[in-house]
């Protein structure tokens, strides 16, 4: 997997953590389990630092998809998109062998071979 794709996956992980920290029900649930919810500023800073390392066109594509889907970039497991669970065409895999970041033809999410 290309380094820029790894950075995108890490960015997505940070976005999910930040989103959960903003969600009152999730925060309350974690606090009820005895976890302290802190570090939002550090996560936000880490996100900014990481985003600066990703090429602009790729980041813009991710941001657009992340605004629409909870998970914008996914690994391919088997022959299905794990976002919409539609079977991917055979031609997808020949293109994927070139280690390119591809797009699910059904849902539009970014897909990669781990």
């Amino acid at each position: 997997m290309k380094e820029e794709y790894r950075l995108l996956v890490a960015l997505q992980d940070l976005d999910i953590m930040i989103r959960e920290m903003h969600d009152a029900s999730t925060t309350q649930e974690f606090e009820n389990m005895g976890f302290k919810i802190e570090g939002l500023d550090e996560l936000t800073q880490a996100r900014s630092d990481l985003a600066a390392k990703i090429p602009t066109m790729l980041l813009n594509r991710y941001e657009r998809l992340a605004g629409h889907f909870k998970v914008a970039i996914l690994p391919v497991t088997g022959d299905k998109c794990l976002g919409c669970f539609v079977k991917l065409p055979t031609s997808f895999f020949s293109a994927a062998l070139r280690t390119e970041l591809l797009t699910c033809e059904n849902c539009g999410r970014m897909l990669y071979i781990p």
Side-chain angles (χ1 to χ4, degrees), residues 7-23 40 43-44 46-48 50-51 54 59 62-67 69-73:
L7 294 175
L8 268 181
V9 171
L11 186 69
Q12 179 173 263
D13 290 343
L14 286 173
D15 283 344
I16 290 171
M17 287 190 280
I18 290 169
R19 197 177 316 129
E20 286 178 350
M21 291 182 83
H22 284 291
D23 181 34
L40 181 59
L43 282 176
T44 304
R47 190 207 186 278
S48 295
L50 191 58
I54 299 172
L59 181 63
Y62 166 78
E63 297 280 0
R64 195 172 44 254
L65 286 169
F69 298 112
K70 187 173 183 177
V71 179
I73 180 169

Side-chain angles (χ1 to χ4, degrees), residues 1 3-5 23 28 33 40 75 96:
M1 182 179 1
E3 181 62 21
E4 58 195 19
Y5 304 160
D23 181 34
Q28 187 61 45
M33 291 190 303
L40 181 59

Side-chain angles (χ1 to χ4, degrees), residues 15-112:
D15 283 344
I16 290 171
M17 287 190 280
I18 290 169
R19 197 177 316 129
E20 286 178 350
M21 291 182 83
H22 284 291
D23 181 34
S25 64
T26 302
T27 302
Q28 187 61 45
E29 188 176 324
F30 285 141
E31 288 176 351
N32 289 343
M33 291 190 303
F35 294 106
K36 282 182 147 182
I37 305 299
E38 54 190 29
L40 181 59
D41 292 337
E42 290 83 2
L43 282 176
T44 304
Q45 183 60 47
R47 190 207 186 278
S48 295
D49 294 344
L50 191 58
K53 296 177 183 175
I54 299 172
T56 304
M57 286 183 56
L58 192 57
L59 181 63
N60 288 342
R61 182 176 167 200
Y62 166 78
E63 297 280 0
R64 195 172 44 254
L65 286 169
H68 187 66
F69 298 112
K70 187 173 183 177
V71 179
I73 180 169
L74 297 158
V76 173
T77 302
D79 61 351
K80 293 183 178 150
C81 168
L82 292 180
C84 65
F85 301 104
V86 165
K87 186 175 180 178
L88 299 167
T90 306
S91 61
F92 175 88
F93 295 99
S94 62
L97 291 175
R98 291 180 279 171
T99 67
E100 293 299 319
L101 191 61
L102 299 172
T103 301
C104 174
E105 294 176 357
N106 187 56
C107 67
R109 290 180 173 101
M110 293 186 280
L111 302 172
Y112 65 93

